[in-house]
Amino acid sequence: MRIGLYVGQAPSTEEALDEARVAAEAGLDSVFFSQVFEWDALTLTALAGQRAPGIELGTAVVQTYPRHPIALATQALTVQAVTGNRLTLGIGPSHAPIIENGFGLSYDRPARHIREYLSALTPLLRGEAVDHRGETLRATARLTVPGATAPPVLISALGPVMLRIAGESADGTVTVWATPRTIAEHVRPRIEEAAAAAGRGAPRVVAGVHACVTTDPEGVRRAIAAAVGPASELPSYRALLDRQGMSGVHETVLAGDEETVAAGIRAFAEAGATDLLVGRVGDATEQSRTLDLLSALRRR
């Protein structure tokens, strides 16, 4: 299992970018940036490429509804060109409260939206001519970005329909708040079955988790609950947490001593995750201990 860093929040863009350098120096495989109402993930990814030679650079995830696929494909291919083709493009429809209340757009039938979006996006990324005229989306273009190749595309998918789409039409999925058991029993079987039926290769299952090597695991979980607890009530996350018998996202955090956190990380590998993206939380000392553990595990 590949191990990388997930950057969801940081005091500044400079510190967010420094996570790429940290990941590379620690011998990790990747760094992925989130996208909500803070920075632009693809811009950060392009800049991070200058600080972190050799590692994979990704987004987890760019929201699709506010971005036309031609605009997103243009930006993604530009990032590819300036980073030596190291981008993995994670995309997703986000959540109804964010899209409808924040952007003022309809969140009607997100699965249909993603199917149509991929029908335009993936051939555009390959440099093919597209003339897509769907129920919700029109796109007519052909893109040429010298030096760029098509990046892998991951879909944020937790429910059965979205997992099927990810298997049929993308290169895999990227999850958050999902436990190893959910990966093993729900995510991996569904996406692998869909990919096989579509004649595609084995999909990536990229799992995101927050982790902290600490002497105060409950204190860390309380801090996560205070920082991102409202995410627990977003419909797709609420359904996931209910499936896992959890009250909130803070319960998914891996926290404890090195042995405890290492066991939690190994559980994701045993569940069939191909990649683990770790969001480091806690104070500076705790984050340093967590990074040392990740580096040691990756070298084994």
Side-chain angles (χ1 to χ4, degrees), residues 181-198:
R181 182 173 180 178
T182 295
I183 297 292
E185 298 181 0
H186 173 67
V187 173
R188 188 173 55 81
R190 291 179 184 275
I191 194 173
E192 288 181 350
E193 180 182 6

Side-chain angles (χ1 to χ4, degrees), residues 216-238:
D216 183 18
E218 291 309 311
V220 169
R221 293 189 179 95
R222 285 194 298 271
I224 290 294
V228 296
S232 304
E233 301 311 315
L234 292 169
S236 60
Y237 293 159
R238 184 69 263 157

Side-chain angles (χ1 to χ4, degrees), residues 2-8 16-17 19-20 23 29-35 39-49 52 54-63 72 76 79-80 83 85-91 151-154 174 204 206 275 277:
R2 292 155 49 90
I3 299 175
L5 294 185
Y6 169 77
V7 187
L17 286 169
E19 287 291 273
D29 297 289
S30 63
V31 61
F32 278 63
F33 295 96
S34 70
Q35 174 101 47
W39 49 60
D40 177 76
L42 280 165
T43 302
L44 278 188
T45 302
L47 293 170
I55 68 171
E56 179 183 19
L57 307 163
T59 60
V61 294
V62 174
Q63 304 138 332
L72 182 57
V79 173
Q80 279 287 70
T83 62
N85 294 302
R86 289 186 283 143
L87 172 67
T88 291
L89 181 62
I91 65 171
V153 177
L154 305 177
V174 55
R204 289 175 68 178
V206 182
D275 304 71
L277 302 179

Side-chain angles (χ1 to χ4, degrees), residues 42 68-81 87 89 117 121 124-125 141-145 148:
L42 280 165
H68 193 280
I70 294 175
L72 182 57
T74 301
Q75 190 179 11
L77 289 172
T78 302
V79 173
Q80 279 287 70
L87 172 67
L89 181 62
Y117 200 95
L121 177 69
L124 284 168
L125 291 172
R142 182 171 187 169
L143 305 179
T144 302
V145 179

Side-chain angles (χ1 to χ4, degrees), residues 189-270:
R190 291 179 184 275
I191 194 173
E192 288 181 350
E193 180 182 6
R200 298 177 65 92
R204 289 175 68 178
V205 177
V206 182
V209 68
H210 289 77
C212 182
V213 176
T214 178
T215 59
D216 183 18
E218 291 309 311
V220 169
R221 293 189 179 95
R222 285 194 298 271
I224 290 294
V228 296
S232 304
E233 301 311 315
L234 292 169
S236 60
Y237 293 159
R238 184 69 263 157
L240 172 68
L241 293 167
D242 289 345
R243 176 195 299 274
Q244 295 174 168
M246 295 177 166
S247 65
V249 296
H250 62 283
E251 294 185 37
T252 69
V253 176
L254 297 180
D257 60 17
E258 279 83 357
E259 183 177 348
T260 299
V261 176
I265 290 172
R266 286 193 293 270
F268 278 97
E270 292 164 1

